[in-house]
Amino acid sequence: QVQFVESGGGLVQPGGSLRLSCAASGSIFRIYAMGWYRQVSGKQRELVADITAGGSTNYADSVKGRFTISRDNAKNTAYLQMNSLKPEDTAVYYCNKARADFRAWNSWGQGTQVTVSS
């Protein structure tokens, strides 16, 4: 069973940057579409970016032009480079499978907290 561990979150000022990392277990990480999701307390979890096994990307309108998703299959790791951060980006960020590879029964890790505040 694949497991994901998120890291890289923290407290940053508006306009700042963070790079999140998602370390995946298993040797078949390379075949999955991966996504970064975020959730604010009391709100629905939302997909902010995803990347296919072949490298095609997709972004939510709210982060387009500011966030970049990438992956390094040799390291079983997905990344989310977040620039020009805004207070509205504050959330717990999770990684998981995405697109057709996502299943409702997928388990979620602990996530990593991103707080954008002065």
Side-chain angles (χ1 to χ4, degrees):
Q1 185 175 352
V2 64
Q3 297 181 110
F4 303 106
V5 179
E6 303 91 345
S7 63
L11 173 64
V12 297
Q13 295 185 348
S17 298
L18 284 173
R19 189 184 74 160
L20 307 185
S21 296
C22 171
S25 64
S27 62
I28 56 174
F29 166 83
R30 66 187 185 281
I31 75 171
Y32 299 128
M34 291 294 302
W36 283 96
Y37 305 77
R38 66 186 181 189
Q39 185 171 33
V40 179
S41 295
K43 295 186 177 182
Q44 295 285 100
R45 182 184 289 110
E46 64 175 345
L47 177 70
V48 299
D50 61 42
I51 182 168
T52 69
S56 297
T57 59
N58 182 65
Y59 299 92
D61 288 343
S62 60
V63 307
K64 194 171 299 181
R66 299 188 297 119
F67 291 10
T68 303
I69 188 171
S70 61
R71 66 193 299 159
D72 186 337
N73 290 339
K75 297 181 179 179
N76 280 9
T77 303
Y79 304 95
L80 185 68
Q81 178 67 46
M82 306 186 296
N83 299 326
S84 302
L85 284 162
K86 304 175 180 179
E88 63 189 11
D89 295 318
T90 295
V92 178
Y93 284 71
Y94 303 87
C95 63
N96 215 317
K97 299 174 184 178
R99 301 198 183 198
D101 296 316
F102 180 82
R103 298 291 184 271
W105 57 87
N106 286 357
S107 61
W108 297 90
Q110 294 297 307
T112 186
Q113 175 71 51
V114 172
T115 302
V116 185
S117 176
S118 298

